[in-house]
Amino acid sequence: MATTARDVRMIALSLPDSSEKLAWGMPTFRVGGKIFVSLADDDTSIGVKCPKEDRAELIAAEPEKFFVREGHDDNYAWLRVRLAAVRDVEELRAILTDSWLQAAPKRLAAAHPELGAEDTA
């Protein structure tokens, strides 16, 4: 069953200290003032944090799911995800949690080892 914008909102806002803010006419979800997910204006895809060096491998492995917007994402650690290609809410949760961990302040991420944060102490 395809995941939806409603699933994105529910999961994103369930992550610690997350909030929603409208930016560029689209819902964005933030932690520590940094965006960790943005919802496309047509609700069919999301943008998430992703190290630039990991993007090509993810896109090559699952091009129906992952993509970048040429000319827009080139210089940013950002990856797009087609919601219809995400298997279920658990996979979506994993994607959003990974993005949250990249954007969250280190102390906040370390305070939530249940999310997979590595202990930085």
Side-chain angles (χ1 to χ4, degrees):
M1 183 175 188
T3 56
T4 66
R6 183 176 180 203
D7 296 326
V8 171
R9 181 171 279 110
M10 179 189 67
I11 294 167
L13 293 175
S14 75
L15 294 168
D17 293 340
S18 296
S19 62
E20 182 174 349
K21 182 177 180 182
L22 197 63
W24 309 288
M26 299 177 293
T28 63
F29 300 88
R30 300 166 186 249
V31 60
K34 294 182 180 179
I35 298 172
F36 70 94
V37 62
S38 65
L39 188 59
D41 56 3
D42 63 1
D43 289 351
T44 64
S45 66
I46 58 174
V48 293
K49 301 280 288 175
C50 179
K52 286 196 271 187
E53 59 272 11
D54 295 346
R55 294 187 310 190
E57 184 178 336
L58 288 167
I59 293 167
E62 297 183 85
E64 72 288 349
K65 185 181 301 177
F66 300 113
F67 67 103
V68 292
R69 280 183 27 203
E70 298 295 329
H72 187 271
D73 298 329
D74 301 337
N75 297 317
Y76 301 99
W78 208 247
L79 181 69
R80 306 293 167 153
V81 183
R82 291 180 185 91
L83 292 175
V86 176
R87 285 186 305 273
D88 54 31
V89 293
E90 290 310 312
E91 182 183 23
L92 181 61
R93 182 178 307 283
I95 291 167
L96 295 180
T97 299
D98 184 61
S99 185
W100 182 91
L101 287 166
Q102 292 177 63
K106 289 181 183 186
R107 290 180 113 168
L108 178 61
H112 293 280
E114 75 279 8
L115 297 177
E118 294 180 12
D119 186 6
T120 58

